[in-house]
Amino acid sequence: MCGIVGIQGTTPVNQALYDGLTVLQHRGQDAAGIVTIDGNTLRQRKANGLVKDVFEKRHMERLIGNVGIGHVRYPTAGSSSVAQAQPFYVNSPFGIALAHNGNLTNARELREEQFRLARRHINTSSDSEILLNVLAHELDQQTQTLHLEPSHVFAAVSKVHEQIRGAYAAVAVIIGHGMVAFRDPNGIRPLVLGKRDCEQGGGTEYMVASESVALNAVGFSLIRDVAPGEAVYITQQGELFTQQCAAEPQHHSCIFEYVYFARPDSFIDKVSVYGARARMGQKLGAKIAREWEDLDIDVVIPIPETSCDIALEIAHNLDLPYRQGFVKNRYIGRTFIMPGQNQRRQSVRRKLNAIPSEFAGKNVLLVDDSIVRGTTSEQIIQMAREAGAKKVYFASAAPEIRFPNVYGIDMPSVNELIAYGREVDEICQLIGADNLIFQDLEDLEDSVRHFNPELRRFETSVFTGEYVTQDVNQAYLDELNALRNDSSKQSDCADSSHLGIYNEGQ
């Protein structure tokens, strides 16, 4: 999972790009990058690390220009080398830089085609660089001169949609011409469009980002979500053009954005993330009341932070006290993405600390957004018992995660998913809970759809094993499994470049 921003402005954009990436830091803590264009000169800074550490004053002073894009990265598989950091750049045609959030499921075939047919060499193992080269090749095919019309841009994006499969939201800048952004025909990964009127010199500035909160942070107002399959082109003169570029667009918004990844103050596809999470708590609270009426629960405690809003609604529904029982260290990364079981176990203890007075002598209901490997859940339940809890019940706001994600979220190898091939009672025993309950998928979907009835279908493959792009077979999953499993991630010699899918766009 990654975060992207892009601004076509009338004033310098370096600070706004930096601020936008800062509020999208939750989408990627591995690397960050910014590209700006000053005249015919591309200026770039990218490196591993958090936004605040990658960009020093001297870097910001060099990132001049009124147009630019930025990226924060989580690599979903393979290398975390700085060479894979985004944005990526190609010189022909015009000079194009691109940042991408998602995953291309046919990256290997695309790599071969670019080398054999388009005579383009891919320098890294990133599917984002493949996407950039496909776009660049199609733009080259549309233009025989230095003149670039909006129709050329939209025709090129249409060709991109015809060739590429998977999930992708992308933004690119074209030297001397403007900025283009587009979203995959299934609308899996989010992308929003905003604008602001410039006080200095007049004119309108436009911005695209993964989440609306990035617009809010720098004074842009939300216009709307970019539609599935749609492309947005803003010229260097500030003219806005949009066009549907997919033959048969559908909408399968990734439901995990609402469960876990997006910030609660964001709106995605017209849905308040906070509102959706609150409704998840209402639905799960109703299920607990139906199925656990015989359990003696004294207090509801969230596992911070995503589940706090969910747990509060559960407590209201059950007429139980809501208490904060864990203190979170905000400077420890997400544990499910860390390679190696031992590292994840140690990280949980560094990340959370229990408040003994909230557990001592009580039957507690712990609430989390989801259970992936079960490592975090097991450790937290043990911490609750060590803090004095008599019984520990556990509720997950998401259904059982039984299948890997192929659209840009670093779900681990299928064999490392605790729910894979197991029933709820067995999962409960493995994590050490006294009882365990999961949200129903129907209730989860309704929690989001309640705020936008137009969202008829969602991308829910991690729960169902049904992949909306219909191109994911067992051979692909086996290759992904080999790339994502812990032993591969920990081995210095693990090189899966033969797959052509390090998937650094996520």
Side-chain angles (χ1 to χ4, degrees):
M1 186 64 67
C2 288
I4 60 174
V5 296
I7 301 175
Q8 178 71 52
T10 60
T11 58
V13 297
N14 52 356
Q15 186 64 54
L17 290 170
Y18 176 94
D19 293 341
L21 291 181
T22 299
V23 298
L24 294 179
Q25 187 74 85
H26 60 286
R27 299 186 69 88
Q29 301 172 17
D30 180 70
I34 290 176
V35 162
T36 61
I37 296 176
D38 174 35
N40 289 322
T41 301
L42 182 145
R43 300 176 181 273
Q44 175 178 275
R45 166 63 178 172
K46 59 181 182 178
N48 285 346
L50 300 175
V51 174
K52 67 180 181 64
D53 298 321
V54 169
F55 301 102
E56 300 176 8
K57 182 180 178 182
R58 59 191 175 94
H59 302 128
M60 297 298 292
E61 289 174 343
R62 291 200 296 265
L63 290 170
I64 57 177
N66 296 347
V67 57
I69 60 176
H71 186 267
V72 287
R73 177 189 70 177
Y74 261 135
T76 63
S79 170
S80 295
S81 165
V82 68
Q84 314 287 342
Q86 299 184 44
F88 286 108
Y89 170 79
V90 290
N91 186 56
S92 176
F94 310 115
I96 307 171
L98 176 141
H100 158 231
N101 171 34
N103 176 49
L104 311 185
T105 54
N106 63 333
R108 179 173 59 179
E109 301 96 302
L110 291 168
R111 176 188 296 275
E112 294 170 354
E113 289 175 6
Q114 287 298 297
F115 181 77
R116 180 171 55 88
L117 300 177
R119 303 184 197 178
R120 287 180 172 270
H121 179 71
I122 310 299
N123 295 303
T124 71
S125 303
S126 171
D127 63 343
S128 301
E129 192 189 6
I130 295 171
L131 175 57
L132 168 60
N133 275 273
V134 173
L135 175 64
H137 174 69
E138 295 305 332
L139 281 171
D140 199 22
Q141 296 297 300
Q142 295 296 323
T143 56
Q144 303 302 318
T145 67
L146 294 178
H147 187 63
L148 184 66
E149 292 283 350
S151 60
H152 298 147
V153 173
F154 296 138
V157 174
S158 295
K159 289 292 185 181
V160 169
H161 287 330
E162 290 175 9
Q163 298 174 63
I164 286 179
R165 298 192 300 271
Y168 50 95
V171 59
V173 284
I174 307 171
I175 293 177
H177 295 281
M179 181 175 76
V180 58
F182 52 95
R183 192 177 181 191
D184 72 78
N186 285 295
I188 298 172
R189 300 269 67 86
L191 189 64
V192 296
L193 172 66
K195 70 174 183 177
R196 71 178 177 188
D197 295 324
C198 185
E199 296 180 358
Q200 300 178 0
T204 300
E205 300 180 309
Y206 292 96
M207 179 176 179
V208 296
S210 294
E211 295 182 34
S212 62
V213 67
L215 307 179
N216 305 146
V218 293
F220 281 74
S221 59
L222 175 66
I223 298 175
R224 60 179 176 83
D225 297 273
V226 176
E230 184 183 23
V232 175
Y233 178 52
I234 303 109
T235 68
Q236 195 169 236
Q237 293 73 36
E239 299 173 287
L240 172 67
F241 298 90
T242 66
Q243 184 172 304
Q244 177 54 251
C245 295
E248 297 180 358
Q250 301 182 47
H251 207 162
H252 296 87
S253 186
C254 175
I255 207 160
F256 226 77
E257 290 279 356
Y258 305 97
V259 172
Y260 181 70
F261 274 104
R263 276 181 43 152
D265 46 346
S266 280
F267 281 76
I268 295 177
D269 291 322
K270 303 178 184 177
V271 174
S272 162
V273 175
Y274 170 81
R277 287 178 184 162
R279 192 162 176 84
M280 290 174 204
Q282 294 167 12
K283 291 283 189 179
L284 187 53
K287 181 177 180 179
I288 292 170
R290 289 193 311 268
E291 300 188 6
W292 281 6
E293 60 180 348
D294 58 325
L295 296 186
D296 183 19
I297 301 172
D298 297 315
V299 63
V300 178
I301 295 177
I303 298 170
E305 293 176 324
T306 316
S307 62
C308 291
D309 303 326
I310 299 168
L312 181 59
E313 293 297 329
I314 290 175
H316 285 165
N317 190 286
L318 300 177
D319 195 23
L320 289 171
Y322 167 88
R323 305 288 288 178
Q324 292 284 345
F326 295 100
V327 176
K328 182 178 181 179
N329 181 347
R330 301 174 188 273
Y331 303 99
I332 301 295
R334 290 173 171 170
T335 53
F336 82 86
I337 206 167
M338 291 182 176
Q341 197 79 337
N342 289 335
Q343 186 176 352
R344 282 189 292 274
R345 288 180 183 276
Q346 294 170 7
S347 178
V348 172
R349 293 284 179 164
R350 295 195 303 269
K351 179 192 256 186
L352 293 176
N353 190 50
I355 303 173
S357 59
E358 299 303 324
F359 292 92
K362 298 176 183 177
N363 297 331
V364 299
L365 172 60
L366 300 183
V367 180
D368 207 352
D369 49 67
S370 58
I371 302 176
V372 183
R373 283 186 173 92
T375 307
T376 300
S377 306
E378 179 189 5
Q379 290 289 297
I380 288 173
I381 290 168
Q382 184 177 339
M383 290 169 63
R385 295 194 190 282
E386 291 171 356
K390 289 194 301 182
K391 289 188 176 181
V392 182
Y393 308 117
F394 203 97
S396 168
E400 301 94 311
I401 296 173
R402 302 186 186 276
F403 304 94
N405 184 282
V406 302
Y407 298 126
I409 301 176
D410 188 29
M411 293 296 177
S413 162
V414 64
N415 294 321
E416 296 166 5
L417 296 170
I418 193 169
Y420 177 66
R422 296 188 176 99
E423 298 301 323
V424 174
D425 289 347
E426 188 176 359
I427 301 168
C428 181
Q429 184 177 1
L430 286 172
I431 65 175
D434 290 293
N435 223 325
L436 171 65
I437 195 166
F438 288 92
Q439 182 91 265
D440 292 331
L441 181 56
E442 182 180 351
D443 285 344
L444 177 59
E445 292 182 345
D446 181 74
S447 297
V448 180
R449 190 183 294 115
H450 175 81
F451 298 94
N452 181 4
E454 296 176 1
L455 296 176
R456 297 181 179 89
R457 291 161 293 190
F458 296 92
E459 201 296 294
T460 59
S461 57
V462 296
F463 310 123
T464 65
E466 298 174 2
Y467 298 94
V468 299
T469 53
Q470 299 180 352
D471 64 329
V472 178
N473 55 29
Q474 191 57 48
Y476 180 89
L477 293 175
D478 289 343
E479 290 179 324
L480 197 64
N481 179 57
L483 188 60
R484 285 182 172 175
N485 66 57
D486 275 346
S487 59
S488 293
K489 288 184 177 181
Q490 294 181 82
S491 172
D492 291 335
C493 299
D495 178 8
S496 300
S497 58
H498 65 284
L499 296 178
I501 46 167
Y502 268 151
N503 308 330
E504 299 289 351
Q506 293 75 354

